[in-house]
Amino acid sequence: MDVTTIELDQVLRQGGYRATSPRRIVWDALRRAAGHVTVEELAAEVGDEVDLASIYRALAVFEELGLARMSRLGDGDAGRWEPAHPDEHFHLVCTECGDVDHHIGSLVAQIRDHLDEGHGFQTDNVELVVNGRCRRCRS
Amino acid sequence: MDVTTIELDQVLRQGGYRATSPRRIVWDALRRAAGHVTVEELAAEVGDEVDLASIYRALAVFEELGLARMSRLGDGDAGRWEPAHPDEHFHLVCTECGDVDHHIGSLVAQIRDHLDEGHGFQTDNVELVVNGRCRRCRS
DNA sequence: TTGGGTGCAAACTCTTTGCAGCGTT
DNA sequence: AACGCTGCAAAGAGTTTGCACCCAA
């Protein structure tokens, strides 16, 4: 699923929300970003076109519609946003160089299956953040 | 490893920190708690014996010494603390009843191995939070 | 036309920090 | 005696909210 700006309007309306200019602008900025952007970075990207409060509100709507996703990659870090990826994925955070690697694999599906079968737990959402040292920094 | 109050003093000193009364009180409260306590809850537990700022500072020291661990179980939630568990573990959070289940298993070790062998990533810390519906709420 | 959405500013929560005095080493 | 730690109060970051106006449906 690649939600373009045009499709965004439909998804919003189907969810009972209005298709507005600020939401389109925030969505475009989020897609344009390489991922893992803070709200502040998004604000810088959209300049003064959209108010900070409206960015927060837009992202909350996107999250509810399953369009976007927030993670906290460090202890006291601010929330970082990215378009929701259809494939389950998780984040490798290098504590040395700060690099964040997107990792798509079967691990999340394995976790889901394991919990469903063994524990009767119906998984909605898996938040997996792995801290460590990446290959380059391992020396 | 079960770090009692008496052992705490040793661990602190070995780490280059002083063994003080506020740290002992916070540590005892953390161990007495069922786990997953917020700083505010700890503050209520210790009454006015220890200042809020000192609780934060004590927990930061415990984390550095590997004695305690913080997780964020929900999107906008405050940090929740627990004594560090020797076995790798993760959290199952039921979005229906709010119950948090500690889950100890081989999953975290599997993740560690997978990343080390396949990607050269040396894992320090795995933060895994699974949201969903527990067996009871599944109806 | 109507009510959901927006900008603006103020408030709020969680957490950190500066500083003078206290207590561990 | 020295200096790390504490309480207190104030500041700071990130995020939310109240309200009047605006605009999508």
Side-chain angles (χ1 to χ4, degrees), chain B residues 41-56:
Chain B
E41 286 162 351
L42 278 177
E45 179 71 22
V46 302
D48 51 3
E49 290 188 278
V50 185
D51 186 73
L52 201 59
S54 299
I55 297 179
Y56 277 103

Side-chain angles (χ1 to χ4, degrees), chain B residues 28-74:
Chain B
D28 286 347
L30 184 64
R31 293 194 350 134
R32 218 179 308 124
H36 303 125
V37 274
T38 60
V39 171
E40 199 177 357
E41 286 162 351
L42 278 177
E45 179 71 22
V46 302
D48 51 3
E49 290 188 278
V50 185
D51 186 73
L52 201 59
S54 299
I55 297 179
Y56 277 103
R57 289 187 274 229
L59 289 171
V61 168
F62 296 163
E63 185 169 49
E64 172 154 345
L65 294 174
L67 294 175
R69 199 174 140 73
M70 193 215 64
S71 333
R72 285 178 199 277
L73 301 178

Side-chain angles (χ1 to χ4, degrees), chain A residues 79-137:
Chain A
R80 295 188 162 269
W81 292 83
E82 58 189 332
H85 199 289
D87 302 301
E88 300 275 10
H89 65 286
F90 58 92
H91 302 118
L92 295 180
V93 183
C94 180
T95 49
E96 196 110 352
C97 64
D99 199 49
V100 178
D101 195 14
H102 244 198
H103 194 79
I104 301 178
S106 57
L107 263 176
V108 174
Q110 283 175 33
I111 292 167
R112 197 183 281 274
D113 292 346
H114 176 75
L115 293 177
D116 194 6
E117 288 166 20
H119 305 274
F121 191 89
Q122 181 184 19
T123 301
D124 283 346
N125 185 274
V126 176
E127 175 72 23
L128 174 55
V129 178
V130 180
N131 293 279
R133 300 172 70 204
C134 69
R135 176 182 277 135
R136 266 170 299 156
C137 293

Side-chain angles (χ1 to χ4, degrees), chain A residues 17-18 20 22-23 49 51 54 57:
Chain A
Y17 295 101
R18 293 189 179 170
T20 66
R23 286 175 179 157
E49 289 187 278
D51 187 73
S54 300
R57 290 188 274 228

Side-chain angles (χ1 to χ4, degrees), chain A residues 36-55:
Chain A
H36 303 122
V37 273
T38 61
V39 170
E40 198 178 358
E41 285 162 352
L42 278 177
E45 179 71 21
V46 303
D48 51 4
E49 289 187 278
V50 184
D51 187 73
L52 201 60
S54 300
I55 296 178

Side-chain angles (χ1 to χ4, degrees), chain A residues 115 119 121, chain B residues 33-37 69 71 73 80-94 99-105 128:
Chain A
L115 293 177
H119 305 274
F121 191 89
Chain B
H36 303 125
V37 274
R69 199 174 140 73
S71 333
L73 301 178
R80 293 187 163 271
W81 292 84
E82 57 190 332
H85 199 288
D87 302 300
E88 300 275 9
H89 65 288
F90 58 92
H91 301 118
L92 295 180
V93 182
C94 180
D99 199 51
V100 179
D101 194 15
H102 245 196
H103 193 82
I104 302 179
L128 175 55

